[in-house]
């Protein structure tokens, strides 16, 4: 009985809508920098740093990551290269919760990634 309950809780957790998590919107450059300055953003296969001077550097899935960013109207706007591949410009909504930061492409309307801040 206990095993079934544990599995049920795990399934409910995994299926919970993303909005159920307490991610707070980060809407200023200063707030964003207070989260990421001097830290590494990590996800399986990804390790990147975002500097106060507007640079993005790191590695993702065996390739170098290099780019630039700025803050525009409440969004993290970046242009990025992954190896030789130009991923282009994209402005992203940023939300944070504890040691996690969520970037949602297309000003919060697109795909998202949740990275650990370390």
């Amino acid at each position: 009985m206990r095993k079934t309950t544990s599995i049920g809780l795990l399934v409910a957790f995994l299926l919970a809508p993303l909005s159920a998590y307490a991610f707070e919107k980060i809407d200023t450059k200063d707030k964003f920098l207070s989260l990421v300055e001097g830290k590494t953003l990590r996800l399986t296969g990804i390790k990147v740093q975002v500097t106060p001077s507007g640079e993005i550097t790191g590695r993702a899935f065996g390739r170098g990551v290099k780019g630039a960013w700025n803050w525009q109207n409440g969004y993290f706007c970046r242009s990025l290269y992954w190896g030789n591949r130009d991923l282009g410009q994209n402005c992203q909504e940023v939300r944070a919760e504890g040691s996690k930061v969520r970037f949602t492409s297309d000003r919060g309307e697109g795909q998202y990634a949740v990275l650990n801040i370390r």
Side-chain angles (χ1 to χ4, degrees):
M1 181 81 168
R2 183 178 175 105
K3 186 175 182 180
T4 302
T5 302
S6 296
I7 292 171
L9 289 173
L10 178 61
V11 169
F13 173 76
L14 293 174
L15 295 178
L18 198 54
S19 62
Y21 301 102
F23 281 90
E24 171 192 352
K25 185 170 183 184
I26 305 303
D27 52 9
T28 68
K29 179 180 178 179
D30 289 340
K31 244 180 166 176
F32 176 71
L33 285 173
S34 73
L35 289 171
V36 302
E37 188 172 1
K39 308 261 175 65
T40 300
L41 304 178
R42 297 174 183 243
L43 184 63
T44 302
I46 300 171
K47 291 181 185 177
V48 295
Q49 294 81 39
V50 179
T51 70
S53 63
E55 293 179 278
I56 302 170
T57 60
R59 294 198 61 79
F61 306 106
R63 295 182 185 177
V65 172
K66 187 171 183 150
W69 73 276
N70 61 41
W71 200 262
Q72 295 178 14
N73 302 317
Y75 295 96
F76 171 83
C77 297
R78 59 92 179 130
S79 32
L80 200 62
Y81 280 87
W82 176 49
N84 293 328
R85 186 172 176 196
D86 183 356
L87 300 181
Q89 174 81 14
N90 193 275
C91 290
Q92 304 179 354
E93 178 185 74
V94 180
R95 291 185 174 263
E97 192 276 317
S99 63
K100 297 187 182 302
V101 63
R102 182 175 75 200
F103 293 88
T104 306
S105 66
D106 305 324
R107 297 185 185 271
E109 300 294 321
Q111 296 180 330
Y112 68 88
V114 178
L115 291 92
N116 295 304
I117 305 168
R118 295 189 187 165

